[in-house]
Amino acid sequence: MKKVRKAIIPAAGYGTRFLPATKAMPKEMIPIVDKPTIQFIVEEAIASGIEDILIITGKLKRPIEDHFDSNPELEENLRKKGKEELLGLVEETTGLNLYFVRQPYPLGLGHAVLQAKAFVGDEPFVVMLGDDVMADEEPLTKQLIEGYEKTHASNIAVMRVPHEETSSYGIIDPEAEAGDGLYNVRKFVEKPDPEDAPSDLAIIGRYLLMPEIFGILENLEPGVGGEIQLTDAIDELNKTQRVFAKEFKGERYDVGDKFGFLKTTIQYGLKHPQVKDDLKKYILDLSKELESGAIENNMDPEAHELEAAKEDEE
Ligand code: G1P
């Protein structure tokens, strides 16, 4: 059985949900307190035993490459000032086995993954989506690798979502659970309307795939949204070899969504040694203010004006 050594992180998307912040900056570089979201993904890969990581980028994504490069001037400056702790943080993201390739056109997630064909070769590999930050005692990618070691087959991470949200996800049609939270799957469907969704088990952003997926992706017709969909390719793969779904029981933070991003920032802040005490106090005081209604009077004056203007228009 071949070892899982390689991971792909697609990072070519425009990040339109975070405009204007993402007009000139990759969404993957937006920080959760002090760490760019993509660094959480890279850390999960390394903690799961992954050796080589390919990041699929596109236009305006150079800051990602720079983030994982050395910065000799900054390092020298911190060294001279004796700022060893900061130096450690800067050096932590240097010297990893990271590779980059560009997706020339935004033709969909399946098309992005196809750009990794030569990098992956003939080995099982993982795909990790940057919008999903996962927290569990054992990293989710490691759980998928263990699933592969048991089943010798592809393992796709899934999680229950509210039924009305199925049209935002790939959804599986599960057969009976095969133990250890693993399901055999009848069908994988990309973004079905709630009335057509075969279950509430949604594909979250971690996939362990067999290399045969590339032959399928090369010949795949565009699906939902006119894009080459990874979910459609997985459904095809499932017709010729077993593909399992692994139910994730940990915490998932959707940092690709504004509210999800705010929640993640607060959760991470509450664990961050430098800010956790102040943040906790702030949240407790804020809740009291919110409960008493005092916060209304505190509103940003500009926002207040905007709000008033909107009411005038209506
Ligand atoms: C992608 C996949 C979808 C999956 C989702 C998880 O969709 O196409 O199957 O459920 O990621 O976050 P996107 O969020 O890129 O539209």
Side-chain angles (χ1 to χ4, degrees), residues 17 27 109-110 129 131-132 134 157 166-171 189-191 202-207 227-232 234 252 254:
R17 281 190 277 182
K27 69 169 174 177
L109 179 59
L129 302 190
D131 283 348
D132 298 276
M134 311 295 187
T166 57
S167 59
S168 302
Y169 296 96
I171 300 290
V189 194
E190 180 68 1
K191 305 203 168 106
I203 299 175
I204 47 176
R206 300 290 183 276
Y207 310 73
E227 296 187 343
I228 309 283
Q229 296 291 355
L230 184 59
T231 305
D232 295 347
I234 294 170
R252 165 178 178 258
D254 181 1

Side-chain angles (χ1 to χ4, degrees), residues 43-57:
E43 286 176 357
E44 182 189 325
I46 292 167
S48 303
I50 293 294
E51 295 163 18
D52 294 324
I53 301 172
L54 178 73
I55 302 184
I56 322 267
T57 66

Side-chain angles (χ1 to χ4, degrees), residues 10 13 35 38 44 72 74 85 97 115-116 121 133 143 163 181 187 193 200 243 262 287 289 301:
K35 201 188 273 190
I38 195 160
E44 182 189 325
L74 173 66
E85 212 175 306
N97 288 346
Q115 311 309 307
V133 172
Q143 296 179 30
H163 191 66
K187 219 172 159 28
D193 288 334
D200 294 341
V243 176
L262 280 175
S287 345
E289 279 184 53

Side-chain angles (χ1 to χ4, degrees), residues 6-154:
K6 295 176 180 173
I8 302 173
I9 306 178
Y14 291 133
T16 44
R17 281 190 277 182
F18 280 91
L19 280 170
T22 47
K23 188 179 166 200
M25 177 179 74
K27 69 169 174 177
E28 294 79 9
M29 289 303 295
I30 298 179
I32 306 285
V33 184
D34 51 10
K35 201 188 273 190
T37 55
I38 195 160
Q39 195 177 328
F40 286 89
I41 314 293
V42 167
E43 286 176 357
E44 182 189 325
I46 292 167
S48 303
I50 293 294
E51 295 163 18
D52 294 324
I53 301 172
L54 178 73
I55 302 184
I56 322 267
T57 66
K59 282 171 195 57
L60 299 174
K61 300 289 182 166
R62 282 294 292 277
I64 300 179
E65 294 184 41
D66 292 341
H67 180 69
F68 291 105
D69 194 359
S70 64
N71 184 337
E73 247 176 67
L74 173 66
E75 286 160 32
E76 190 46 37
N77 185 288
L78 293 172
R79 200 168 288 120
K80 265 196 202 143
K81 290 185 175 151
K83 299 194 168 168
E84 295 301 326
E85 212 175 306
L86 291 179
L87 183 63
L89 289 179
V90 169
E91 286 178 338
E92 211 172 70
T93 50
T94 311
L96 308 171
N97 288 346
L98 289 185
Y99 305 85
F100 297 88
V101 67
R102 279 188 178 216
Q103 181 189 19
Y105 301 102
L107 300 179
L109 179 59
H111 181 258
V113 170
L114 185 55
Q115 311 309 307
K117 185 176 180 239
F119 169 81
V120 168
D122 191 22
E123 299 179 24
F125 65 102
V126 293
V127 176
M128 308 174 74
L129 302 190
D131 283 348
D132 298 276
V133 172
M134 311 295 187
D136 202 353
E137 276 161 29
E138 188 177 34
L140 175 53
T141 296
K142 194 153 181 229
Q143 296 179 30
L144 293 182
I145 293 174
E146 283 167 9
Y148 159 77
E149 285 165 354
K150 256 185 232 147
T151 59
H152 300 196
S154 300

